[in-house]
Amino acid sequence: PALEESSSETAAPTTIAEQLALHRRNDACASCHGLMDPIGLALENFDAVGQQRFYDKGNRIDASGLLPDGTEVTGVDELEDWLVSRPDRLAATMAERMLTFALGRPVDWQDAPSVRKIVQQASEDGFRIRSIIESIVTSDSFQK
C-alpha cells in the first residue's frame, strides 16, 4: 500500500522516517522495507538532485537507522564506512545489477558462477568499476 499522506487535520506522520515506520508495521511491507529503509534514510539529507538539506517540509531530517546486520548509522558517512568495509558484497550486488541490465533479464542460479568470477576478478584489481564491467562483458553469461 501507499505511504500515508500527512494532513493538518489528522495526526498522520509528518516525516519520511515516520511514514516509513508506519508502513513497516504491515508484515508484507516490513520484509523489504527493513532492508531498504535504513539505507535510504541515511541518504535522506540529500534531495532528488543531490543537494544537501537538513529540513524537509519544516521538519529536521533524521538520517539515522539500524542496518540489517545491527549496525547503527546516522548519515551518509557511516553508511559509506559500512559499505566500504564489505567490498565483496558491494561488488557482488553491483555485478548482479549490472549483469541484469547487460543481459536484459534477471540473473538466476545459472549465472552464479559468472557473478562469483566477476567479483573474484574485481577483487584482484581493488574492486574497480572498470574491472567489474570488463568481467561482465567477458563473462559466459554475457557471451553465451
Side-chain angles (χ1 to χ4, degrees):
L3 294 175
E4 297 288 327
E5 288 294 324
S6 298
S7 169
S8 59
E9 300 172 9
T10 66
T14 56
T15 67
I16 293 291
E18 290 171 350
Q19 291 176 29
L20 291 171
L22 182 62
H23 195 65
R24 283 191 305 273
R25 289 185 191 165
N26 181 330
D27 290 338
C29 302
S31 61
C32 292
H33 279 275
L35 299 171
M36 298 182 308
D37 290 354
I39 295 169
L41 290 172
L43 299 169
E44 190 64 18
N45 282 112
F46 300 94
D47 66 13
V49 295
Q51 187 172 12
Q52 191 170 25
R53 64 192 183 143
F54 298 99
Y55 293 91
D56 182 35
K57 298 178 184 173
N59 298 304
R60 182 128 179 104
I61 294 172
D62 177 11
S64 63
L66 188 65
L67 297 171
D69 69 352
T71 303
E72 291 184 46
V73 294
T74 59
V76 72
D77 292 333
E78 290 177 5
L79 177 62
E80 178 184 15
D81 293 343
W82 183 77
L83 289 169
V84 169
S85 72
R86 293 156 179 79
D88 55 330
R89 289 184 184 176
L90 182 58
T93 300
M94 289 179 60
E96 287 177 9
R97 301 301 181 251
M98 293 171 79
L99 188 58
T100 295
F101 182 77
L103 298 175
R105 65 166 175 80
V107 296
D108 59 24
W109 64 272
Q110 295 171 331
D111 300 306
S114 289
V115 172
R116 284 192 299 271
K117 187 174 180 181
I118 291 165
V119 172
Q120 187 267 327
Q121 289 172 334
S123 72
E124 294 171 1
D125 194 27
F127 295 104
R128 296 178 57 184
I129 295 287
R130 180 183 179 130
S131 297
I132 294 173
I133 294 170
E134 287 177 353
S135 295
I136 287 171
V137 299
T138 59
S139 70
D140 286 342
S141 294
F142 187 77
Q143 294 286 319
K144 298 175 183 174

